[in-house]
Amino acid sequence: MPVEPLSQKEIEDRLAELPGWSLDGDRLTRSYRLGSHVAATAMVVHIAQVQEELDHHSDLTLGYNTVSLSVHTHSAGGAVTEKDIELARRVEDLAPGHGAH
């Protein structure tokens, strides 16, 4: 079943529930700061596990003590879809357990 792009209004409404996330062009983005490189690395591994479970993958960048994500749905022509929102929600749920802010 094809995934439908969200309208600008739908994206704005969903982003209101996802503090720290924003729309950058055609992608949802978010960066987190963590207490150490090891904590950031552990968060990247946890996000990768969630992405595998959802079968939806973001661009994921590991810095010294930062983790950044950028996501859109390729199968929807690079638009933002509910799949991207679900991934963002799942990452938001796991971030506090890693001390991310």
Side-chain angles (χ1 to χ4, degrees):
M1 175 183 343
V3 180
E4 295 298 318
L6 296 175
S7 70
Q8 187 67 31
K9 172 79 168 103
E10 289 171 320
I11 294 168
E12 290 169 7
D13 289 348
R14 285 165 177 80
L15 283 175
E17 301 168 2
L18 293 165
W21 286 85
S22 61
L23 185 64
D24 184 9
D26 63 349
R27 293 173 170 264
L28 295 184
T29 62
R30 172 78 153 96
S31 292
Y32 295 91
R33 183 167 301 280
L34 293 98
S36 69
H37 184 65
V38 171
T41 302
M43 185 170 166
V44 165
V45 171
H46 198 167
I47 292 169
Q49 291 169 330
V50 169
Q51 291 179 143
E52 284 296 303
E53 180 183 319
L54 295 175
D55 192 26
H56 190 58
H57 303 83
S58 68
D59 290 338
L60 187 55
T61 305
L62 171 63
Y64 168 70
N65 64 343
T66 60
V67 174
S68 299
L69 293 94
S70 174
V71 64
H72 63 183
T73 304
H74 296 282
S75 63
V80 174
T81 69
E82 200 59 51
K83 291 177 80 167
D84 305 305
I85 299 297
E86 177 61 20
L87 177 58
R89 282 188 188 120
R90 295 282 301 272
V91 172
E92 279 299 300
D93 288 347
L94 67 83
H98 293 277
H101 59 278

